[in-house]
Amino acid sequence: MSNKVTWKPGTFLYPLPVVMVSCGTMEKSNIITVAWTGILNTNPATVYIAVRPTRYSYQLIKEQGEFVINLTNKNLVRATDWCGVKTGSQVDKFKEMKLTKEKANFVKCPMIKESPVSVECRVREIKEMGSHHVFVADVLAINADKQYIDEKGAFDISKCDLIAYANGHYYALGKKIGKFGFSVQKKKKNRRKKR
């Protein structure tokens, strides 16, 4: 007998990254909080965001054909939530949350300076799925804050204090507990020189 309870179909694939997606132009911009986002392909680098067509940002992204995915951390949790419950048709989210617009390299949308990583994206196609439409996009550039780059030039994600979303709540990501392939990695023998 199973210890699991069966529920009707729903969205219960957790945890999810919670990101702030900036869209529009430097002059007329908005931020929408999205938890339904992810990677679709490595080469070419392809990502997606799922947005309800009723959202103010939907039309901005559809018209502009581009957006920026800004990763969020503990310092941005309040802004992340606020930008998800307020509408850009009535408030300037950058101004209200005291976030800084930063010029991107390849898109007209602003990046969020306070974000540890901003991913510039160009829409390849829009898939109408029902309640949400999926913007499939090519990654044009990844912009990482220098404070998270280690001495070897690699991005140290453990320093970011990234957050995730699960079942209506935000969570701080914890410590690293392994790395890809660790389960099959051969242990190094401790060879001591005999004297």
Side-chain angles (χ1 to χ4, degrees):
M1 181 167 205
S2 176
N3 286 336
K4 294 184 178 172
V5 176
T6 303
W7 292 327
K8 66 179 183 176
T11 55
F12 207 84
L13 186 60
Y14 296 120
L16 298 166
V18 59
V19 300
M20 291 192 288
V21 175
S22 47
C23 54
T25 63
M26 291 295 283
E27 299 75 30
K28 182 186 176 186
S29 56
N30 193 43
I31 301 168
I32 181 172
T33 299
V34 173
W36 296 357
T37 183
I39 299 166
L40 289 172
N41 196 52
T42 302
N43 192 11
T46 310
V47 294
Y48 77 91
I49 59 170
V51 181
R52 289 181 187 269
T54 55
R55 300 289 186 202
Y56 176 72
S57 292
Y58 176 88
Q59 210 55 43
L60 291 175
I61 296 169
K62 188 174 181 181
E63 287 171 9
Q64 193 79 24
E66 52 192 29
F67 56 87
V68 177
I69 296 174
N70 301 276
L71 299 189
T72 56
N73 59 18
K74 287 198 292 189
N75 296 334
L76 293 169
V77 69
R78 185 174 188 282
T80 301
D81 184 65
W82 197 88
C83 289
V85 296
K86 296 290 184 176
T87 176
S89 66
Q90 297 176 4
V91 295
D92 180 338
K93 296 181 185 180
F94 275 96
K95 182 179 175 185
E96 294 297 323
M97 287 291 99
K98 295 178 176 54
L99 296 171
T100 311
K101 293 181 188 182
E102 190 169 42
K103 190 172 179 358
N105 297 299
F106 298 98
V107 298
K108 293 178 183 170
C109 313
M111 299 186 293
I112 299 173
K113 184 176 183 175
E114 292 78 8
S115 171
V117 176
S118 298
V119 182
E120 298 179 53
C121 304
R122 180 161 297 131
V123 177
R124 181 191 297 182
E125 63 180 299
I126 303 170
K127 294 189 169 286
E128 297 183 11
M129 303 297 292
S131 64
H132 289 67
H133 291 185
V134 175
F135 290 96
V136 176
D138 295 315
V139 174
L140 304 180
I142 298 168
N143 304 277
D145 191 316
K146 290 177 185 173
Q147 68 177 309
Y148 304 115
I149 308 287
D150 68 18
E151 58 281 344
K152 294 179 183 176
F155 184 74
D156 187 350
I157 201 165
S158 68
K159 293 180 180 177
C160 293
D161 291 324
L162 295 177
I163 59 173
Y165 179 83
N167 203 22
H169 301 276
Y170 304 100
Y171 294 90
L173 294 181
K175 65 180 181 178
K176 179 172 65 174
I177 58 172
K179 68 174 187 172
F180 180 76
F182 84 98
S183 63
V184 295
Q185 186 175 1
K186 292 182 180 178
K187 293 183 181 178
K188 293 180 182 177
K189 292 181 180 177
N190 189 3
R191 295 179 182 173
R192 294 184 182 175
K193 291 182 179 178
K194 293 181 180 177
R195 295 182 192 192

